[in-house]
Amino acid sequence: MSITGIITALIVGLIIGALGRLVVPGKQNIPIWLTMVIGVVAALLGTVLARAFGVDSTNGIDWIELAFQVVLAAIGVALVVGTGGRRRITR
């Protein structure tokens, strides 16, 4: 993988992760790097799912593939937040 591919994957991961955070209600206390990791994984899994369902190559923007990716990112964010995420100690 070239450096351009890595940078593109990070940018796409950040965008998909941010969209996933927007979909999940409430405040998520997780760091931005974890959002990016969730976004990259969701983008990869969303692409695999879109190919499995045969909706990965459509004319124009692949909205169904993007929807798969955002939903998977939202599920990932919700799972991380639900299992603890970054906890604050309040007294």
Side-chain angles (χ1 to χ4, degrees):
M1 180 177 253
S2 68
I3 193 72
T4 306
I6 293 170
I7 292 171
T8 303
L10 292 175
I11 292 170
V12 168
L14 184 59
I15 293 169
I16 296 294
L19 289 173
R21 279 183 82 157
L22 287 174
V23 173
V24 176
K27 184 176 179 180
Q28 299 86 30
N29 289 323
I30 59 174
I32 193 70
W33 65 266
L34 187 54
T35 301
M36 191 181 329
V37 170
I38 292 170
V40 169
V41 171
L44 293 173
L45 289 177
T47 301
V48 170
L49 275 176
R51 286 185 183 161
F53 284 103
V55 294
D56 62 324
S57 56
T58 58
N59 293 331
I61 298 173
D62 294 327
W63 292 107
I64 298 172
E65 181 177 354
L66 181 62
F68 279 142
Q69 293 169 340
V70 171
V71 168
L72 287 172
I75 291 170
V77 168
L79 286 173
V80 169
V81 170
T83 58
R86 185 191 304 173
R87 296 183 186 202
R88 287 162 117 193
I89 299 173
T90 56
R91 297 178 191 233

